[in-house]
Amino acid sequence: MRNSLARFMVAGAITAAVTLTGCSAQGTASSAGQDGTTPVTFQLNWTAGGANAGFAAAVSDGLYKDAGLDVKLVEGNGSGNTAQLVSSNQSQIGYADAVAVSQLIAKGAPMKVLATIYQSNPNEVSALKKTGIKSVKDLAGHKVAVPSGSSQTTMLPLLLEANGLKESDVTLVNMPATSLVPALLQGQVDAILGSIDSYQIQLESQGAELDNFTFADNGVPTVSTSIFANERYIKENPDVVKKFVAASLKGWSSALDKGDNAIKSLKTIFPNVNEKLAAEELAAITPLFCSGGAKYVGKAEAGHWENTQSLLSKVGLLPSGKDVKSYYTDDYLPPVAELRPCKA
């Protein structure tokens, strides 16, 4: 299923990313700091919040330092922008949605996904209970707000197809991301394309009673937010990359066990962080770490990648039939014995 909405949103996201100019550009990790550690700048996908708590824990707990690394976390402006920065070698290691990264890889960008933190994407449809929308299929005949330029919008055709709907069955209202919550609360739309780690939290904080339908549970389970790097950087600094990935996964394990401490670490590094909101975000994303059939935190299974490509190729977001190993590698993950297992 290919449609104009998907093509338009993908083109817009890529154009916006390409026009982004320098931020957080760093050299390779060949020169050590005064204390003997190797400087590493890590480009995040968005402004700091609960989604970055594991990396903050790795900084504050000294996990990076113990690995001989001096890691600086840099806030981002969207997965597409972060993917483009790493693709162009303006940043070497980044954190972004695997779909945005894979789209550029499919076009020849020299990057590889190294570890997957969100095994499923956090996208969802949110509707006020009073609307009577009890399933994705019930969206037929309703107004749905979609955030301009978002991953939710690019993946909407898949959600509709998986639930027996066509784009013409719903009235889509494009609007800025900041307008979605008030538009739903004020009754301007019947539902929004949101996410469990942002829009849902905002709505519930304002007393909204919701019915939520995640993309992952409604036919669109895809590999999501991941650590990735420029291939040139990987080739020139393989040990640094391995140490960074291992320390980062230890940081996430710490955040899962001691969330309060991780949020305090986040606040120390990024003073503008709202601790209450960040804690709610961390709690919301925790189920994603072991979804998608994952056996270990940080490691997406090959079958999940294959299913992701199959789904995304239906709407032209990825080519079909491509070797999925062109998108990712497990070579820089710690041994399985050192990974945090997902509980059965």
Side-chain angles (χ1 to χ4, degrees):
M1 176 181 176
R2 296 173 181 265
N3 60 49
S4 57
L5 176 64
R7 290 195 297 272
F8 173 78
M9 296 315 302
V10 172
I14 293 174
T15 299
V18 170
T19 57
L20 184 74
T21 56
C23 73
S24 69
Q26 300 290 325
T28 64
S30 58
S31 58
Q34 290 184 346
D35 60 354
T37 57
T38 301
V40 176
T41 298
F42 184 44
Q43 180 67 49
L44 302 175
N45 59 329
W46 202 247
T47 53
N52 315 126
F55 304 119
V59 172
S60 295
D61 292 355
L63 298 172
Y64 289 130
K65 187 174 182 180
D66 289 346
L69 307 178
D70 178 16
V71 174
K72 178 182 179 183
L73 308 181
V74 178
E75 293 181 293
N77 189 34
S79 286
N81 291 340
T82 294
Q84 184 60 39
L85 285 169
V86 174
S87 172
S88 61
N89 208 32
Q90 294 180 69
S91 295
Q92 285 70 52
I93 305 181
Y95 187 56
D97 185 80
V99 174
V101 176
S102 298
Q103 283 181 273
L104 288 180
I105 292 173
K107 296 176 182 295
M111 301 186 292
K112 277 286 193 293
V113 170
L114 304 169
T116 295
I117 306 302
Y118 289 19
Q119 301 288 345
S120 299
N121 71 71
N123 299 340
E124 69 179 354
V125 174
S126 291
L128 296 178
K129 283 187 176 294
K130 65 182 181 182
T131 63
I133 296 173
K134 299 299 180 184
S135 69
V136 174
K137 196 166 187 177
D138 289 343
L139 293 175
H142 288 281
K143 287 184 178 180
V144 181
V146 297
S148 302
S150 70
S151 62
Q152 293 98 320
T153 307
T154 59
M155 295 171 70
L156 175 61
L158 288 169
L159 182 70
L160 296 177
E161 182 183 68
N163 291 276
L165 297 174
K166 302 185 297 294
E167 189 179 323
S168 58
D169 291 330
V170 296
T171 300
L172 301 179
V173 183
N174 276 288
M175 59 179 62
T178 53
S179 300
L180 265 67
V181 168
L184 184 63
L185 292 174
Q186 294 166 18
Q188 298 172 18
V189 294
D190 303 310
I192 65 170
L193 293 189
S195 62
I196 65 173
D197 58 346
S198 178
Y199 299 93
Q200 181 181 337
I201 292 171
Q202 294 176 48
L203 286 162
E204 290 177 343
S205 71
Q206 297 182 58
E209 295 185 357
L210 304 171
D211 282 310
N212 302 296
F213 314 101
T214 64
F215 281 37
D217 290 336
N218 287 275
V220 194
T222 58
V223 175
S224 192
T225 318
S226 302
I227 300 169
F228 67 107
N230 184 283
E231 286 191 324
R232 176 181 170 184
Y233 184 83
I234 295 171
K235 183 178 180 180
E236 293 177 350
N237 305 278
D239 290 339
V240 169
V241 171
K242 281 187 176 182
K243 290 175 181 178
F244 177 82
V245 170
S248 295
L249 294 180
K250 288 179 182 177
W252 274 112
S253 187
S254 175
L256 292 173
D257 291 336
K258 298 176 289 186
D260 290 346
N261 288 346
I263 296 304
K264 289 177 182 177
S265 297
L266 190 69
K267 179 71 172 179
T268 298
I269 298 169
F270 299 102
N272 291 331
V273 162
N274 179 318
E275 290 182 78
K276 182 177 182 297
L277 178 59
E280 291 173 345
E281 291 168 348
L282 176 58
I285 64 173
T286 296
L288 301 179
F289 287 60
C290 283
S291 58
K295 298 176 182 177
Y296 303 95
V297 172
K299 184 179 186 296
E301 296 299 309
H304 193 24
W305 271 102
E306 291 165 2
N307 187 51
T308 294
Q309 177 177 253
S310 177
L311 284 169
L312 297 179
S313 67
K314 292 181 181 179
V315 288
L317 296 183
L318 287 179
S320 60
K322 192 176 177 69
D323 181 2
V324 294
K325 291 292 283 186
S326 65
Y327 301 119
Y328 78 99
T329 177
D330 291 335
D331 291 349
Y332 298 89
L333 287 171
V336 167
E338 296 177 17
L339 292 174
R340 182 184 178 114
C342 291
K343 297 178 181 178

